[in-house]
Amino acid sequence: MANIEINSQDGKSFSGDVLIVPVFSGRERHRLPLAISKVARQVMEENDFKADYLELVPLHHPNGVKDCRWMLLVGLGEEEAVTFNKLRKALGAAARYSLKKGWKAVGIVSPATASMDHDEVQIAVLEGAMLSDYDFTLCKGKPEPRSFDRIELFTNGDDTRKARRQLAQIQVGVDACHRVRDLVNTPAGELHPESFAAKAQKLAGKHKLGFEVIEGEALAKGGFRGVMAVGQGSARGPKVVKLEYAPKEKAKKHVVLVGKGVCFDSGGLSLKDASGMETMKDDMAGAAIVMATLAACAELQVPVQVTGLMGLVENMPSGTSYKPGDVLKSRNGKTIEVLNTDAEGRLVLADLLDYASEMKPDHIVDLATLTGACMIALGDGVSGIFGEDQKLVDRLLSAGNSTGEYLWQLPLVADYRESLKSHIADIKNITGKRWGGAITAAMFLREFVDHASWVHVDLSSCWADAEKDYRTPGGTGEGPRWLLEWLNS
Ligand code: BES
Ligand code: ZN
Ligand code: ZN
């Protein structure tokens, strides 16, 4: 983890590998220290840099800046159109560039703009750099994670107190994001229900969270027949893990977070094809978010009681697998005709949502890589959110907007319930039609929630093949930061 320093100097005195200089487009608008703005202006006058959003230009041994080996200009685009998300992303892109160059000591000039609170600008800029400071090297022969040694923010005379005060809190969100990335990126051969539960137990110990694992006989006793059915084809038994956080002073609200933890989704007997399976180690992203968020809740001492439920299973084809045509009785007593064993997440969640409802919390939020259809609808940069408690949905949408982890509301369409009707059971687990797959999956879940304030999040943005701004390829780590933004307020 990099050592972070915030000082009110102007960056001219920076000594290290790279000084990152964010620049707005439009020539007259540099509010940079003279030595630096001279360099930037020259490059712009020679038309080598327009300061377009995310544009990067590295300069070797820039004139007038003492001991820095490189200066990296990063474009912010037009000043009038800048947002905190753009700042985070531009700085993230510059920091990724630096990280990949192996530059360890990084300076950042905090950009000045009249339209934004300078304290918040400093925080966004730092957060972007910190989020990008990640490398997944577990599987390398010689794991040598690239990481910054030092990040030094120069505020050019501006007050640094607020950024300093908030630094620990920013770090908690960043760590939670990186924890999710680690869990999602870890191969399923390594991270399975057993090792996942062990990690959860260890984390619970570290953060003094309540921990309970329901497995084997206890799953049957507890009525988790959906979880058991999905897990029965695997050599690794399924587990339900519960983590509990309560603030020291009595909490006014209780929230249950429910995470889909399918450690590998082969599709089961309704086997996926080879390319469909390539990323299916990420099918536990919901559970990873729950686990990382609970740890962060303890670190931040959020003012609400938070319970995390994780349904940990492997969906595998074998002689003991559940089969298309099987009917199972979910925890709430409704019978489900399983026509496709690849629609397994909803069977796991059905049990957990019933269990969560029993706790009678104020809100239930489930997080699940539930459908390919949601990815088709929204792509890999936005997750889908469903719910009838519009106040809660709006609150979460705004939390997503302010953290730059985008959510988009999709409707629960009552008419579509019809398509889930089974001839022999209370409900079937697929409609048999491709259209509206994310919505019909959400309508399925709704049958197992006995609670007014429930939100379902279909995590289409938990994985991205390519690197983008501060996001690394693979697990994006989205989730904890917007959840914490909500839980903390
Ligand atoms: N884990 C997948 C959903 C998924 C697929 C997420 C691809 C991201 C990318 C889920 O268990 C699944 O396989 N869903 C099926 C449902 C279908 C059989 C109704 C799907 O989306 O194809
Ligand atoms: Zn599946
Ligand atoms: Zn799945």
Side-chain angles (χ1 to χ4, degrees), residues 352-400:
L352 295 192
L353 287 170
D354 177 61
Y355 185 37
S357 301
E358 237 170 53
M359 297 174 194
K360 303 213 178 307
D362 295 283
H363 308 289
I364 300 175
V365 176
D366 81 66
L367 304 130
T369 43
L370 203 64
T371 68
C374 197
M375 288 203 73
I376 306 254
L378 300 178
D380 65 7
V382 184
S383 285
I385 176 166
F386 299 79
E388 282 157 348
D389 178 350
Q390 196 56 41
K391 243 173 97 180
L392 177 60
V393 172
D394 286 342
R395 183 65 194 87
L396 297 180
L397 284 171
S398 105

Side-chain angles (χ1 to χ4, degrees), residues 60-245:
H60 195 222
H61 282 302
N63 280 339
V65 187
K66 221 168 92 225
D67 287 326
C68 88
R69 294 202 303 120
W70 289 87
M71 185 187 282
L72 180 56
L73 302 177
V74 52
L76 299 175
E78 287 184 17
E79 189 170 2
E80 295 74 27
V82 74
T83 62
F84 290 116
N85 286 326
K86 277 190 169 176
L87 286 178
R88 259 192 294 262
K89 290 183 171 164
L91 265 295
R96 289 293 304 158
Y97 184 96
S98 306
L99 193 74
K100 286 190 285 186
K101 285 282 186 196
W103 297 335
K104 298 273 184 189
V106 181
I108 301 173
V109 176
S110 189
T113 168
S115 62
M116 286 168 139
D117 179 5
H118 287 195
D119 298 329
E120 299 297 329
V121 167
Q122 293 169 21
I123 290 166
V125 160
L126 266 181
E127 203 174 19
M130 288 158 77
L131 284 166
S132 73
D133 188 7
Y134 174 86
D135 208 11
F136 183 71
T137 56
L138 182 79
C139 304
K140 298 283 188 192
K142 288 188 202 144
E144 284 165 9
R146 293 172 294 194
S147 176
F148 298 130
D149 291 337
R150 173 163 63 96
I151 300 175
E152 198 174 346
L153 183 72
F154 296 95
T155 70
N156 198 10
D158 279 346
D159 196 341
T160 61
R161 277 173 299 181
K162 185 164 179 196
R164 283 167 194 279
R165 241 185 293 124
Q166 290 217 24
L167 194 56
Q169 186 175 337
I170 303 167
Q171 188 72 56
V172 171
V174 170
D175 289 347
C177 166
H178 291 176
R179 172 164 279 137
V180 173
R181 287 182 188 172
D182 273 343
L183 290 165
V184 169
N185 289 335
T186 301
E190 189 100 7
L191 189 68
H192 40 72
E194 219 166 281
S195 53
F196 201 130
K199 275 185 198 289
Q201 183 162 23
K202 202 166 151 205
L203 202 65
K206 185 169 164 210
H207 294 284
K208 301 196 173 65
L209 300 168
F211 173 85
E212 189 189 340
V213 57
I214 309 172
E215 57 195 338
E217 272 301 295
L219 275 176
K221 263 206 198 120
F224 295 90
R225 288 172 294 265
V227 176
M228 291 170 71
V230 174
Q232 78 190 35
S234 168
R236 312 255 186 199
K239 295 173 199 297
V240 170
V241 168
K242 180 166 149 191
L243 293 173
E244 279 175 301
Y245 161 78

Side-chain angles (χ1 to χ4, degrees), residues 260 265 283 344 369:
K260 170 177 173 181
D265 182 11
D283 214 17
E344 84 297 340
T369 43

Side-chain angles (χ1 to χ4, degrees), residues 302-348:
V302 300
V304 283
Q305 182 191 346
V306 186
T307 303
L309 296 178
M310 306 185 275
L312 305 174
V313 294
E314 275 184 346
N315 187 22
M316 298 295 283
S318 79
T320 60
S321 296
Y322 75 139
K323 305 171 186 69
D326 279 357
V327 173
L328 54 96
K329 190 176 233 170
S330 145
R331 192 174 185 278
N332 80 344
K334 288 191 187 173
T335 58
I336 306 168
E337 183 182 14
V338 177
L339 289 176
N340 189 320
T341 61
D342 195 13
E344 84 297 340
R346 61 195 76 183
L347 306 174
V348 172

Side-chain angles (χ1 to χ4, degrees), residues 373-424:
C374 197
M375 288 203 73
I376 306 254
L378 300 178
D380 65 7
V382 184
S383 285
I385 176 166
F386 299 79
E388 282 157 348
D389 178 350
Q390 196 56 41
K391 243 173 97 180
L392 177 60
V393 172
D394 286 342
R395 183 65 194 87
L396 297 180
L397 284 171
S398 105
N401 267 328
S402 66
T403 51
E405 300 185 344
Y406 301 116
L407 304 165
W408 190 258
Q409 186 174 11
L410 297 172
L412 286 157
V413 181
D415 276 359
Y416 295 1
R417 170 65 181 85
E418 188 77 14
S419 59
L420 289 164
K421 275 195 174 153
S422 159
H423 295 302
I424 64 168

